[in-house]
């Protein structure tokens, strides 16, 4: 595990899974989230409207064995002693003080340690309580008929989705959000790469759970422009690879031709976006049929 993380990040890190363990998940879905240790006070209010399992990754610059690490563990144990925290598992990742963040990596790790059949990736920060509509939508789900990947969104059935739309998928689904972008990264920009990636890999066939999600503006910083250019290059590479795989894996036929046309149209937006041209919306998933 730490060898993988060392390749993913630019400096060696340490991972402590299950410093707090929810050994008896009491729901079919685990919400997966992350936050820096300084934001742990947000946790109590954030979790108030969620009555199921949680897999939470906490990032910290405190090194294992240090006094600050001991203080962090005491803070966590005090928090989880409350009844509302009974479904919570907490994992700690130790990163350097000047280490660039990797929000998608943190969500992937939180999902990796989930113990339920389904996971809900929650990309937003935890400064505000979870909308009760999210938990209500999970309770009303007919899980025995659910398959594939779902977005929690409203008013959109294709990319671009609201910027921090949560992603619902089976825990064993062979999909992991890209961790390739490290310059100008934020929760919004990194998650946008995952939204785009899901759209491509599912050929636009994404299920929507109708839950209102507020759009959050993309945060600008010193590396944002470089990050956008790296993103365009990454997407172009993914498009080329995906098209080649489709022609090899899928047999000739009407579905393959329709799917290839959709992917080509979807990927053409990468070049237009890279050169700053305003582009039209992605073809809707209905154009591929059901």
């Amino acid at each position: 595990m730490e060898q993988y993380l060392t390749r993913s990040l630019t400096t060696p890190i340490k991972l402590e899974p299950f410093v707090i363990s929810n050994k008896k998940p009491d729901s079919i879905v685990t919400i997966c989230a992350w936050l820096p240790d300084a934001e742990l006070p947000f946790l109590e209010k954030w979790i108030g409207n969620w009555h199921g399992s949680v897999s939470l990754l906490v990032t910290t610059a405190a090194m294992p064995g240090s006094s600050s690490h001991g203080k962090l563990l005491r803070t966590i144990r005090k928090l989880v002693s409350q009844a509302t925290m009974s479904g919570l598992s907490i994992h700690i990742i130790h990163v350097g003080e000047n280490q660039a963040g990797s929000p998608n990596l943190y969500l992937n790790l939180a999902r990796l340690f989930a113990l339920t059949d389904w996971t809900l990736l929650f990309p937003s920060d935890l400064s505000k309580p979870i909308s009760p509509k999210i938990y209500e939508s999970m309770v009303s789900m007919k899980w025995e008929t659910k398959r594939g990947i779902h977005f929690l969104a409203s008013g959109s059935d294709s990319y671009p989705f609201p910027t921090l739309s949560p992603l619902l998928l089976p825990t064993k689904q062979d999909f992991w959000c890209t961790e390739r972008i490290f310059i100008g990264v934020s929760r919004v920009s990194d998650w946008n790469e995952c939204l785009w990636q899901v759209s491509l890999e599912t050929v636009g066939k994404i299920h929507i759970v109708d839950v209102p999600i507020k759009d959050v503006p993309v945060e600008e910083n010193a590396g944002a422009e470089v990050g956008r250019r790296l993103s365009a290059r990454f997407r172009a590479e993914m498009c080329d690879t995906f098209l080649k795989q489709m022609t090899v894996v899928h047999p000739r036929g009407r579905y393959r031709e329709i799917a290839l046309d959709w992917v080509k149209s979807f990927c053409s937006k990468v070049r237009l976006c890279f050169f700053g041209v305003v582009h039209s919306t992605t073809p809707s998933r209905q154009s591929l049929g059901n």
Side-chain angles (χ1 to χ4, degrees):
M1 174 65 71
E2 289 183 359
Q3 290 177 346
Y4 165 73
L5 291 171
T6 301
R7 288 197 298 271
S8 299
L9 298 171
T10 57
T11 59
I13 56 87
K14 292 288 184 180
L15 178 67
E16 292 183 272
F18 295 104
V19 294
I20 297 295
S21 182
N22 168 28
K23 295 188 179 298
K24 295 182 179 180
D26 55 0
S27 64
I28 197 169
V29 59
T30 295
I31 192 167
C32 301
W34 73 275
L35 85 176
D37 56 1
E39 295 179 7
L40 276 169
F42 294 151
L43 184 57
E44 182 179 1
K45 287 187 177 180
W46 175 78
I47 207 173
N49 293 323
W50 181 261
H51 309 292
S53 298
V54 179
S55 179
L56 179 71
L57 188 81
V58 177
T59 67
T60 181
M63 289 296 102
S66 66
S67 59
S68 53
H69 177 239
K71 182 179 179 181
L72 172 60
L73 291 176
R74 290 191 294 273
T75 298
I76 289 173
R77 288 169 185 146
K78 183 178 179 181
L79 277 171
V80 300
S81 64
Q82 302 171 56
T84 54
M85 305 289 186
S86 60
L88 184 65
S89 292
I90 294 182
H91 327 285
I92 297 176
I93 187 169
H94 300 267
V95 296
E97 290 187 13
N98 298 318
Q99 174 70 53
S102 183
N104 285 350
L105 168 65
Y106 305 151
L107 286 174
N108 283 341
L109 285 171
R111 176 187 166 207
L112 181 66
F113 298 129
L115 302 175
T116 52
D117 292 337
W118 286 79
T119 48
L120 178 64
L121 304 189
F122 188 85
S124 300
D125 66 31
L126 311 192
S127 59
K128 296 180 181 179
I130 300 172
S131 167
K133 294 184 180 298
I134 291 180
Y135 183 73
E136 291 167 8
S137 69
M138 298 297 103
V139 171
S140 62
M141 227 33 116
K142 295 181 179 178
W143 294 105
E144 63 277 7
T145 64
K146 289 296 177 185
R147 300 289 186 277
I149 296 177
H150 302 66
F151 275 125
L152 273 61
S154 182
S156 177
D157 68 353
S158 61
Y159 182 86
F161 295 96
T163 47
L164 291 172
S165 298
L167 179 64
L168 175 69
L169 72 167
T171 302
K172 294 183 179 180
Q173 180 89 22
D174 186 18
F175 174 84
W176 299 92
C177 289
T178 179
E179 303 165 7
R180 287 183 60 178
I181 308 301
F182 293 101
I183 297 178
V185 71
S186 66
R187 284 183 185 265
V188 173
S189 63
D190 215 26
W191 188 245
N192 190 44
E193 297 304 320
C194 188
L195 298 181
W196 183 90
Q197 177 191 358
V198 172
S199 298
L200 175 66
E201 293 190 17
T202 60
V203 196
K205 286 199 165 188
I206 302 169
H207 307 285
I208 302 298
V209 180
D210 188 11
V211 177
I213 301 294
K214 291 184 178 180
D215 219 0
V216 177
V218 177
E219 304 157 24
E220 293 291 332
N221 57 44
E225 180 58 31
V226 176
R228 281 191 288 270
R229 289 181 174 273
L230 288 175
S231 170
R233 180 174 179 176
F234 160 68
R235 293 183 182 191
E237 290 174 357
M238 278 200 68
C239 283
D240 288 344
T241 301
F242 193 74
L243 283 166
K244 290 174 183 176
Q245 289 175 341
M246 286 191 70
T247 58
V248 172
V249 173
H250 295 286
R252 289 182 179 273
R254 178 171 170 75
Y255 172 78
R256 191 180 85 165
E257 295 309 309
I258 293 174
L260 282 172
D261 286 344
W262 186 94
V263 172
K264 289 174 182 177
S265 175
F266 182 73
C267 288
S268 70
K269 310 301 187 296
V270 174
R271 181 174 295 276
L272 293 175
C273 181
F274 182 77
F275 287 105
V277 178
V278 177
H279 57 264
S280 60
T281 57
T282 300
S284 79
R285 60 197 177 104
Q286 281 85 354
S287 64
L288 288 175
N290 295 318

